[in-house]
Amino acid sequence: MTADDIILDKLSAWARQESPTHAPDGVNRMMDLVATEAREAPIAVERIPGQGGLGDCLILRAGPERDEPSVLVLSHLDTVHPLGTVERDLPVRLAGDRLYGPGVYDMKGGALLALEAYKDVARQGQARRPLVFLFTSDEEIGSPMTRPIIEALGRKAAYVLVTEPARDGGKVVTARKGVGRFEVEVEGRPAHSGSRHQDGRSAIREAARQILRIENMTDYLRGVTTTVGLISGGTAANVVPQHCRFSVDLRVTNAADGEAYAAAILGLTPHDPDVRVRVTGGMNRPPYEKTEAVARLFEHAKKVAAELGQSLAETPMTGGGSDGNFTAALGVPTLDGLGIDGDGAHTLEEYGLVSSIAPRRELMARLLATL
Ligand SMILES: [Zn+2]
């Protein structure tokens, strides 16, 4: 078997090991697979037990044991695909250069190629700085458990490399929008829709007006979007509804807009004085802005890639957040999108391009050895 066949085999096995965020047993088996791989090289493994129904995390350490700023690699091993997806809707299969399977692109492919690169560099003793590799279990739900771990390791890092999927033919990510999440609960007054209509205060009617208000905050020129993506309410077709609740997703390009729009959403007041509107939530991931330091890190990656015969491009600011948002917001230069190329993240058409694995692994190894 060639090196390419071996990594393809491993990635197929990783994809078959389903690991949705809320299935901690599956996520933990993924962590077992990583720990097993790490034993093949001089790598120290620390396991942090999961909490609140989430899977464990792993921290790998290699390179010099000096107390100086590290290079931190971030990968998540949870996926959005529920258990059974690999049996029913998205079997692991190779079609030409495409490897289909749950999480292949987002982001088991990136996690695996970075781990292989990490092992290579650890074995060859090439690291100039301590190399820390964090595997997390809850990225797909906004990293509620691992955010403090990411930030603690981030504060000790000189650089952060994130293995989220590459974009459009291998582009890396140097900026991401910030993400806010809000829950809105509306409470009116129930009544029989036929005999007592005038006594009712419809929570759904009020929610509808609030939703339009929120959706109208979208400003494409400014890079701000608001989406009400979930809604529930009412009890029966012939009852003026007492309750309605919905979720709001907010995306912004900079921290000031994050504060301003979060305040606007949290400050929503009812149109109808007899109806209560309660908003909870706030900014979840701060914006990841392309600072001077991020630009310098990208230039370094471009130079290293050129030495490997690769041309590396960056994608314009993307709307999707990642754990890189947390470290970038701390001011630590962060480079993201270093994972596998492919498409279909979060869909049943998800695939990774097998031909992108070897060059990305080489690039990651050179970055780990030169930063
Ligand atoms: Zn991801």
Side-chain angles (χ1 to χ4, degrees), residues 76 106-107 139-140 164-165:
H76 68 83
D106 184 12
M107 61 145 70
E139 194 276 344
E140 294 292 3
E164 290 287 354

Side-chain angles (χ1 to χ4, degrees), residues 19-31:
S19 55
T21 317
H22 289 295
D25 292 348
V27 175
N28 286 343
R29 278 195 286 276
M30 280 305 306
M31 297 294 166

